Amino acid sequence: QVQLVESGGGLVQPGGSLRLSCAASGFYFSSSAMSWYRQAPGKERELVATISSAGRSTVYVDSPKGRFTISRDNAKSTVYLQMNSLKPEDTAVYYCKARLPNQRTYWGQGTQVTVSS
């Protein structure tokens, strides 16, 4: 069955970096669009970044620009989110989402990112 498992979260100081990973199984990963979302306490879940099956990426939550990069490794069926220059407002649970060719969507369990000194 479809499974998405996030990892790489944790506590980091402002200005630090983290790389989140989402390991996928149970579907044709290379044909599926992958996304990262995040949800902070008391706030709505928001789209962070998306990467298409063709490798085209878009980052939606990235102020100042250039801090976040989404990538994928089809050989490992894994999607990554590289986060640099982290700020306290980046604190949230980060979720991985897959959209399969049949348009069904699946979510991972989330990984906590806390940016604090």
Side-chain angles (χ1 to χ4, degrees), residues 55-77:
R56 291 185 290 271
S57 64
T58 304
V59 177
Y60 298 91
V61 181
D62 188 21
S63 181
K65 296 180 179 179
R67 297 188 302 123
F68 291 4
T69 303
I70 187 171
S71 61
R72 65 193 298 158
D73 185 338
N74 288 339
K76 295 182 177 180
S77 295

Side-chain angles (χ1 to χ4, degrees), residues 5-84:
V5 181
E6 300 99 329
S7 62
L11 176 64
V12 63
Q13 66 182 5
S17 298
L18 285 174
R19 188 179 74 161
L20 306 183
S21 299
C22 174
S25 60
F27 64 100
Y28 291 114
F29 176 83
S30 63
S31 299
S32 301
M34 304 297 298
S35 298
W36 287 97
Y37 288 74
R38 69 184 184 187
Q39 187 167 24
K43 295 187 177 181
E44 298 295 321
R45 187 171 298 186
E46 63 181 346
L47 177 62
V48 175
T50 299
I51 186 165
S52 73
S53 60
R56 291 185 290 271
S57 64
T58 304
V59 177
Y60 298 91
V61 181
D62 188 21
S63 181
K65 296 180 179 179
R67 297 188 302 123
F68 291 4
T69 303
I70 187 171
S71 61
R72 65 193 298 158
D73 185 338
N74 288 339
K76 295 182 177 180
S77 295
T78 300
V79 63
Y80 304 94
L81 182 68
Q82 178 68 46
M83 303 186 293
N84 300 323

Side-chain angles (χ1 to χ4, degrees), residues 2 4 26-29 31-34 98-106:
V2 171
L4 302 171
F27 64 100
Y28 291 114
F29 176 83
S31 299
S32 301
M34 304 297 298
R99 188 181 72 183
L100 276 58
N102 64 8
Q103 303 304 308
R104 296 190 67 178
T105 60
Y106 296 88

